[in-house]
Amino acid sequence: MTTQQRDRWLVGYHLGVTALTLLSVLNVGLLLGQWGPVGVERQVSNGLLVIFAIDYFVRLARAQNRKIFLIQAAFDLLGIIPMHPVFACFRLGRLVRLIRAHHLFWRLGLDGAWTKAYHRFIYSTGFIYLFSISVAIIVLSAFLFSVVERQSLANSLWWAVTTATTVGYGDQTPHTAIGKIIASVLMFGGIGFIGLLTSTITDFFTTQAQPTTPAQPEDLTALLHKIDTLTAKVDQLQAQVRQLDRHR
């Protein structure tokens, strides 16, 4: 396969992923808007889940550095969790990476401070790690709660979210001893990681909002003094070089 053919295949593949991602989000809206039993929407959701799961594990197997891949594709992993249809919305993170890979913001003249701030917020602050761990704790707790308390995955996920965020509506509560242990672990994990996640978001926007501190007159005076000292030393070195040249 030539380079041109490979590029065409890659563009076609990315266009297909984009179409399937938008279809996933649209299908989520249809599922959440249904008040009665769902049929075709559920089948479409399951089919898309299988496609994105296969795509994820194939890319993971072909990745040169799997550790970096797991970090960069954290939202892709969240998008194939078969817990609730709303998790398909995490697949939108794939579109953001495709936009950056093809430099669409740069082509449209939108590249600059916004994209740098986005990258700094997602990766440099550790947001992606904390968010992934928080979601993993909530999903695992919801799954275990569903098995132990014999609740649906949707109700268990709702219970896990309200418990981890310390809202606690009380409509879903554990009744077994194991369920209470799961709830206790989730409470401590929710307070820890979700608290760190919230503080990370707050610190980022607080830092962004702070104006740059202007240089003080004392700092400028000290800098000028150092420049004068350095200039004097350079002049002395030049004079010594001239004397050496004359002696030769």
Side-chain angles (χ1 to χ4, degrees):
M1 182 183 294
T2 63
T3 303
Q4 188 176 7
Q5 291 176 339
R6 189 183 300 111
D7 292 340
R8 289 180 179 176
W9 181 89
L10 186 62
V11 171
Y13 166 71
H14 287 169
L15 289 175
V17 170
T18 301
L20 292 177
T21 301
L22 296 177
L23 178 61
S24 298
V25 177
L26 176 62
N27 192 66
V28 169
L30 294 176
L31 283 171
L32 296 180
Q34 292 282 350
W35 294 97
V38 294
V40 178
E41 294 85 355
R42 178 65 64 180
Q43 295 177 1
V44 171
S45 177
N46 294 335
L48 291 172
L49 176 64
V50 172
I51 293 174
F52 278 98
I54 294 174
D55 174 73
Y56 176 84
F57 288 110
V58 168
R59 289 187 294 123
L60 176 61
R62 298 183 60 183
Q64 296 180 353
N65 192 323
R66 291 187 174 88
K67 181 179 180 181
I68 296 178
F69 175 84
L70 290 173
I71 294 173
Q72 294 181 345
F75 284 146
D76 296 353
L77 180 60
L78 296 176
I80 60 175
I81 295 178
M83 182 68 76
H84 192 276
V86 75
F87 278 87
C89 294
F90 286 114
R91 296 169 191 168
L92 290 173
R94 182 82 177 275
L95 294 186
V96 176
R97 293 205 313 278
L98 292 180
I99 290 172
R100 294 187 60 200
H102 290 281
H103 307 288
L104 294 183
F105 284 125
W106 176 79
R107 296 177 189 275
L108 296 175
L110 301 176
D111 193 22
W114 186 88
T115 54
K116 293 178 181 178
Y118 166 80
H119 188 276
R120 187 166 61 254
F121 172 68
I122 294 295
Y123 298 106
S124 300
T125 61
F127 172 83
I128 186 66
Y129 312 107
L130 293 174
F131 184 80
S132 300
I133 294 173
S134 300
V135 173
I137 292 175
I138 292 174
V139 169
L140 180 60
S141 300
F143 176 75
L144 295 176
F145 184 85
S146 175
V147 174
V148 173
E149 299 292 333
R150 296 181 180 180
Q151 296 285 339
S152 65
L153 289 176
N155 290 336
S156 299
L157 183 62
W158 169 251
W159 166 84
V161 171
T162 56
T163 302
T165 55
T166 68
V167 175
Y169 287 111
D171 52 346
Q172 298 290 335
T173 56
H175 300 284
T176 64
I178 299 178
K180 293 178 181 179
I181 293 174
I182 295 171
S184 301
V185 174
L186 177 60
M187 290 174 191
F188 286 108
I191 293 173
F193 285 100
I194 294 181
L196 286 173
L197 184 66
T198 305
S199 63
T200 299
I201 297 173
T202 304
D203 291 342
F204 175 80
F205 286 103
T206 302
T207 304
Q208 289 291 105
Q210 289 178 350
T212 306
T213 304
Q216 300 297 324
E218 296 81 2
D219 298 334
L220 293 176
T221 303
L223 180 61
L224 291 174
H225 177 69
K226 291 181 179 180
I227 292 175
D228 292 338
T229 304
L230 181 61
T231 304
K233 290 182 178 180
V234 171
D235 292 338
Q236 291 178 0
L237 288 174
Q238 289 179 347
Q240 292 176 0
V241 171
R242 292 194 191 98
Q243 289 179 359
L244 290 175
D245 290 338
R246 290 174 183 174
H247 289 301
R248 289 179 185 177

